Amino acid sequence: MEKTLAFTGILSNKAEENPDFFNWNRVKLRYCDGASFSGEGQNKANGLYFRGQRIFEAGMEELMSKGMKNADQALLSGCSAGGLASIVHCDEFGGLFPKTTKVKCLSDAGLFLDATDVAGGHTMRNLYAGVVSLQGVEKNLPSTCTNRLDPTSCFFPENLIDNIKTPLFLLNAAYDAWQFQESLVPSSVDPHGEWTACKLNHSNCNSTQIQFLQDFRMEMLDDVKGFARYDQNGLFINSCFAHCQTERQDTWFADDSPLIGKKKIAESVGDWYFDRRPVKAIDCPYPCDTTCHNLVFK
């Protein structure tokens, strides 16, 4: 784990790189527990102790004592596993502050879907089931979900986002590069490598493969329908092959950043956070968006 990290994008302290949040106190809480700060279990035989929930609470307690308790504005954000953490812990974070504090949450690339892989299996669900049971995550999941669904389902954002009381913004690429590679087409379900070229570069995908990805996008849009009905929530689903767009300068706020309706991600998040306008931005399907910063793998 590096001792120093560049603070770029939403973490930048320069107005020209981060117009709305540059002069905030910004903290990065390093993620190392393997369950989005929600584990609380042990495997004594192997000397494994999972303490993600306690790590989150200890981090928050420390920050509150250092002055965060006096904040008039707060934003819990995270990307990928941290994006899931900012969904799972959103109301808990909101509950730390008095009602007079403006508190919101932002999940970047945390909208992991309970999707079917190309072989008809459930790679992501199987992964989550292992994490949830190994780490004893169930006790830390919201009862609004666990009283009606199994614990593994309650680790998927699609089953949490409709019941979160704190305002939440979901930023996600419709063709999330990580989910494409690890959930939809992991190498284990593509033994002959028919998807290899397509996974490395979307321009190599054939029409059947593109259709599969379009279906994934439609599933994502379907999962956020109810969530989007709430005025307080925000949405930015761009039709890109990307993963994590807030902490990279080129995708957050630069001259050629991704756009939906002429608005960059930084502008959209700022407009939503400061209530300048409602933001429910959903892109047209691939290949219509020419502003994407698509990830291409070697």
Side-chain angles (χ1 to χ4, degrees):
M1 192 178 267
E2 316 94 313
K3 290 284 184 284
T4 55
L5 274 176
F7 271 30
T8 55
I10 196 173
L11 293 173
S12 170
N13 61 358
K14 300 184 180 80
E16 64 273 19
E17 294 180 350
N18 188 22
D20 279 308
F21 304 105
F22 72 95
N23 58 353
W24 283 39
N25 295 302
R26 292 147 294 110
V27 180
K28 182 149 180 145
L29 193 62
R30 296 307 294 273
Y31 160 78
C32 200
D33 66 288
S36 293
F37 295 107
S38 58
E40 178 60 53
Q42 57 252 351
N43 180 325
K44 287 205 173 100
N46 293 304
L48 295 172
Y49 296 84
F50 299 104
R51 296 291 183 257
Q53 179 65 34
R54 296 189 204 188
I55 293 167
F56 182 81
E57 289 169 13
M60 292 304 119
E61 196 177 319
E62 166 120 342
L63 293 172
M64 290 304 268
S65 75
K66 288 196 153 130
M68 190 167 79
K69 65 177 183 292
N70 303 316
D72 48 12
Q73 304 181 128
L75 175 63
L76 179 68
S77 75
C79 128
S80 197
L84 174 62
S86 65
I87 293 171
V88 171
H89 294 286
C90 185
D91 281 339
E92 183 186 341
F93 181 73
L96 296 172
F97 298 91
K99 289 278 173 277
T100 50
T101 308
K102 185 184 191 82
V103 189
K104 300 191 180 188
C105 308
L106 163 62
S107 171
D108 175 10
L111 195 53
F112 297 100
L113 304 192
D114 186 5
T116 307
D117 61 42
V118 293
H122 292 89
T123 299
M124 199 67 193
R125 171 165 278 269
N126 296 338
L127 173 74
Y128 268 21
V131 171
V132 169
S133 69
L134 177 70
Q135 295 216 24
V137 169
E138 178 174 4
K139 59 180 87 65
N140 293 320
L141 294 170
S143 58
T144 47
C145 182
T146 52
N147 60 22
R148 60 189 176 89
L149 295 171
D150 64 280
T152 301
S153 295
C154 293
F155 207 42
F156 281 102
E158 63 205 60
N159 297 316
L160 298 172
I161 53 177
D162 290 1
N163 290 304
I164 294 172
K165 305 278 181 283
T166 310
L168 173 63
F169 191 104
L170 297 176
L171 161 64
N172 227 94
Y175 315 103
D176 187 294
W178 188 91
Q179 292 189 69
F180 178 19
Q181 301 204 348
E182 303 296 334
S183 165
L184 300 180
V185 199
S187 44
S188 57
V189 304
D190 183 32
H192 305 298
E194 289 160 21
W195 282 81
T196 306
C198 171
K199 277 164 71 174
L200 292 174
N201 187 335
H202 61 92
S203 61
N204 298 326
C205 302
N206 65 37
S207 58
T208 313
Q209 291 170 329
I210 291 295
Q211 189 52 54
F212 186 83
L213 294 167
Q214 299 294 20
D215 292 344
F216 177 77
R217 172 180 175 270
M218 289 313 296
E219 186 179 342
M220 185 181 290
L221 297 185
D222 201 44
D223 284 344
V224 300
K225 270 203 177 85
F227 168 87
R229 288 194 193 107
Y230 295 97
D231 293 344
Q232 65 180 23
N233 295 332
L235 208 54
F236 192 103
I237 309 283
N238 55 344
S239 294
C240 303
F241 291 80
H243 185 69
C244 287
Q245 302 181 91
T246 53
E247 291 178 38
R248 284 177 48 163
Q249 196 58 51
D250 65 306
T251 46
W252 176 247
F253 191 76
D255 290 341
D256 68 338
S257 290
L259 304 170
I260 300 182
K262 297 187 179 162
K263 289 279 191 177
K264 299 174 185 180
I265 294 168
E267 295 170 311
S268 303
V269 171
D271 285 349
W272 161 79
Y273 186 88
F274 294 104
D275 303 301
R276 294 189 292 244
R277 67 176 178 103
V279 180
K280 301 282 164 52
I282 294 176
D283 213 351
C284 48
Y286 174 84
C288 72
D289 189 337
T290 55
T291 69
C292 287
H293 289 210
N294 292 312
L295 295 174
V296 173
F297 302 88
K298 302 256 178 328

